[in-house]
């Protein structure tokens, strides 16, 4: 069966520190992968998506970057975190024939 | 701006009652999806309705789609306390590059 792993669940980081969030998918090949951010009590904003290894599209200009070093691995990074980077980060995958997205359990990032 | 906008933003009902929430969108879509999010967790895919469908059922869920009005509704019948969650609609539209665009969500509280 297909599963998605996202870690860590919570993270508190000081301003100016680096960030690395990892997401891995099991049970499917060549998925589309996505990073979303959710502000408290709000909807989801798409940050990055990837249709294949090394292929990253950015939806909004920001302090973050994404990489896809392997087919089923998606990494969200920052060299220097800002207070405004705080939020709930969600990784998701999809394949065309299924239609719906499968989400990870999310990482709550607090930048202090 | 968000493609999908849910209404109402919050809903409080008694267990056993029905809950109805609506979603409006702006551009033509390929499909519309509804997701549920328990507090602090990832989103769970509930149901997908394609642009050529008008109604779909899944257990106690009933989704309608009116493409002429660019709107959809989600009905939860005989609600349970466990249905307490936020519900999001998301649209898959060519105008958005076939990536899901989420609305702000409806927070549903089912009181026992």
């Amino acid at each position: 069966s297909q599963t998605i792993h996202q870690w860590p669940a919570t993270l508190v980081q000081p301003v100016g520190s680096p960030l690395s969030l990892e997401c891995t998918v099991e049970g499917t090949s060549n998925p589309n992968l996505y990073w979303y951010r959710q502000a408290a009590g709000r909807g989801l904003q798409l940050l990055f998506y990837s249709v294949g290894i090394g292929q990253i599209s950015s939806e909004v200009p920001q302090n973050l970057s994404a990489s896809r070093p392997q087919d089923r691995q998606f990494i969200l990074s920052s060299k220097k975190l800002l207070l405004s980077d705080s939020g709930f980060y969600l990784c998701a995958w999809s394949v065309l024939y299924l239609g719906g997205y499968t989400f990870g359990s999310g990482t709550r990032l607090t930048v202090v | 701006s968000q493609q999908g906008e849910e209404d109402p933003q919050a809903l409080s009902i008694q267990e056993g009652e029905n809950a109805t929430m609506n979603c409006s969108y702006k551009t033509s879509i390929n499909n519309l999806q509804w997701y549920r999010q328990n507090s602090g967790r990832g989103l769970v895919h509930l149901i997908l309705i394609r642009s050529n469908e008008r109604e779909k059922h899944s257990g106690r869920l009933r989704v309608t789609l009116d493409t002429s009005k660019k709107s959809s509704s989600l009905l939860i019948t005989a609600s349970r306390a466990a249905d307490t969650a936020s519900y999001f609609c998301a649209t898959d539209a060519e105008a958005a590059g076939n990536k899901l665009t989420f609305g702000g969500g409806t927070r549903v509280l089912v009181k026992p």
Side-chain angles (χ1 to χ4, degrees):
Chain A
S1 64
Q2 300 121 344
T3 57
I4 180 169
H5 301 281
Q6 187 181 343
W7 68 92
T10 60
L11 193 58
V12 180
Q13 292 283 101
V15 168
S17 64
L19 173 73
S20 180
L21 301 181
E22 189 165 340
C23 172
T24 59
V25 178
E26 294 178 2
T28 187
S29 295
N30 197 31
N32 293 335
L33 296 173
Y34 311 86
W35 278 110
Y36 282 86
R37 179 169 59 199
Q38 183 179 31
R42 304 293 300 277
L44 279 69
Q45 180 187 35
L46 180 62
L47 302 177
F48 300 97
Y49 72 97
S50 171
V51 298
I53 296 173
Q55 300 178 62
I56 308 295
S57 295
S58 174
E59 289 294 297
V60 292
Q62 58 205 311
N63 186 41
L64 303 167
S65 62
S67 62
R68 185 171 178 175
Q70 300 180 47
D71 181 45
R72 286 170 283 184
Q73 184 185 28
F74 205 23
I75 298 171
L76 183 69
S77 304
S78 173
K79 293 182 180 177
K80 288 185 179 182
L81 283 169
L82 306 172
L83 287 173
S84 57
D85 292 324
S86 294
F88 191 50
Y89 290 83
L90 289 153
C91 178
W93 69 269
S94 73
V95 292
L96 279 176
Y97 64 88
L98 288 180
Y101 285 19
T102 300
F103 282 85
S105 53
T107 294
R108 184 160 305 283
L109 172 66
T110 304
V111 183
V112 295
Chain B
S1 62
Q2 292 174 331
Q3 162 78 319
E5 294 290 343
E6 287 92 340
D7 169 59
Q9 291 188 339
L11 183 60
S12 181
I13 56 174
Q14 292 294 138
E15 204 166 26
E17 293 179 341
N18 296 340
T20 300
M21 59 210 85
N22 305 294
C23 171
S24 60
Y25 57 92
K26 297 174 184 174
T27 66
S28 296
I29 60 172
N30 297 317
N31 64 68
L32 185 144
Q33 304 175 30
W34 286 92
Y35 288 79
R36 185 180 81 185
Q37 183 182 34
N38 289 83
S39 180
R41 306 297 298 274
L43 277 73
V44 175
H45 181 250
L46 295 177
I47 200 164
L48 180 154
I49 186 165
R50 302 193 185 282
S51 59
N52 60 353
E53 297 176 309
R54 292 298 167 258
E55 187 170 313
K56 209 161 184 180
H57 297 255
S58 176
R60 294 184 295 111
L61 304 180
R62 173 177 169 254
V63 169
T64 63
L65 179 65
D66 187 335
T67 53
S68 67
K69 294 181 180 178
K70 292 187 169 58
S71 68
S72 173
S73 68
L74 170 66
L75 167 68
I76 305 173
T77 60
S79 63
R80 306 167 181 168
D83 294 328
T84 294
S86 291
Y87 293 82
F88 294 89
C89 71
T91 54
D92 177 345
E94 287 187 30
N98 298 112
K99 299 180 293 295
L100 282 189
T101 306
F102 286 81
T106 294
R107 294 186 302 281
V108 175
L109 172 64
V110 182
K111 292 179 280 188

